[in-house]
């Protein structure tokens, strides 16, 4: 099943594609779940079938989620991440692109499972997406870190079901601290959410090398 | 299927229980998905079965997710919410309790689907949970609002797979602005995440009454 990286499995491209296809189906099931009004008997019957599929997947199980894929673009560690991981069915369908100028961006549309106020994206979901994109912008400086502070400002409600744009860029690096800023914009180009974050790069302990 | 509230279906307790049981199974499937190392053929076979179950659930579909349940504790609007909704398979298993003193709290344990840095909760997931608990603390004042600002401070990594505590309380209400603060603590009682938020209560337009 591929190499091991930091005690995690690293997948082949083929394995990743097959599991991403499965994750996409589980996403559809999740969306169907929050909308269904089937009878109690049918819901119970589907639940039993889901449990049987869970058992089939657990028949061959990793100790930890896989951590990346070795491909043409090098090691991508995001494949099971809860915000952008293709292999993680809870992740919103956000595929970030890291541009040469250090800007990280994505276009995406959120379905109803991410709803907070009626017809709008949950504020916590927007914050989660901002943490991810700001962290990727920080990492694009060459100094990845863990979030130390995240400040999210909500300018107007973010609508579900329409194309949104998220963008972020690091503003400065001071020693182990990396600062980044970003926005989510609605289809009219107006900013709905602004965020700023500070990340701290881990100290590399000699015994970890 | 029950009454309609703000164009949403309101479920009976029995319907809620049956759908919550189904959502719990979809959560297990999601967790199995990020750990599975079944063969490509088996993954494709399971994906086809998942698609068939999605079709069964979509055979009777609501236009919008259900919005609450009428029960002994009144209308609970959180049942399909992406952070705490029993009916939403992406929601972490966090069951908030609103105490009489206005404190909102929950004990919970997060599985690997919420992982950011290896073995730790994704910073964005912590922010998402804080937005929800702070919003509930704001609403407990009697003046619910939409998030205007959310500031999250990460004191130390939040571990996966161990009991965590989240707690929040409103600090003050100034006109339509409600302020709240909260924390996530690890099993040793030490704060891992602190957050503060300001919510703004919507203006009620006469034409909305």
């Amino acid at each position: 099943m591929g190499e091991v990286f930091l005690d995690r499995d690293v997948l082949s491209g083929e394995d990743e594609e097959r599991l991403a296809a499965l994750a996409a189906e589980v996403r559809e099931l999740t969306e169907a779940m929050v909308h269904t009004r089937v009878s109690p008997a049918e819901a119970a019957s589907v639940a039993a079938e889901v449990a049987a599929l869970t058992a089939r997947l657990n028949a061959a199980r990793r100790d930890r989620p896989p951590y990346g894929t070795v491909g043409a673009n090098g090691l991508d560690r995001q494949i099971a991440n809860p915000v952008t991981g293709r292999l993680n069915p809870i992740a919103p369908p956000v595929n970030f692109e890291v541009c040469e100028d250090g800007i990280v961006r994505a276009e995406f549309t959120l379905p109803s499972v991410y709803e907070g106020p009626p017809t709008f994206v949950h504020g916590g979901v927007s914050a989660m997406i901002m943490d991810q994109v700001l962290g990727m912008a920080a990492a694009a400086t060459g100094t990845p870190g863990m979030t130390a502070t995240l400040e999210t400002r909500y300018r107007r409600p973010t609508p579900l079901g329409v194309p949104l744009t998220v963008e972020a860029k690091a503003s400065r690096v001071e020693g182990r601290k990396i600062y980044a800023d970003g926005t989510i914009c609605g289809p009219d180009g107006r900013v709905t959410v602004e965020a700023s974050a500070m990340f701290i790069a881990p100290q590399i302990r000699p015994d970890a090398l």
Side-chain angles (χ1 to χ4, degrees), chain A residues 122-201:
Chain A
H122 191 288
V125 171
S126 296
M128 181 175 77
I129 292 170
M130 292 315 297
D131 178 69
Q132 176 70 29
V133 71
L134 293 168
M136 292 178 73
T141 66
T143 308
M146 287 180 63
T147 321
T149 61
L150 171 67
E151 191 186 329
T152 312
R153 299 172 293 278
Y154 299 85
R155 296 303 182 201
R156 47 183 63 82
T158 303
L160 293 169
V162 297
L164 304 171
T165 309
V166 60
E167 210 169 272
K169 190 174 182 186
S171 55
R172 65 188 195 279
V173 180
E174 292 175 2
R176 290 169 51 215
K177 295 182 180 175
I178 312 105
Y179 296 83
D181 305 285
T183 55
I184 296 174
C185 290
D188 57 3
R190 294 207 300 176
V191 172
T192 63
V193 178
E194 289 174 354
S196 306
M198 192 260 282
F199 299 85
I200 299 186

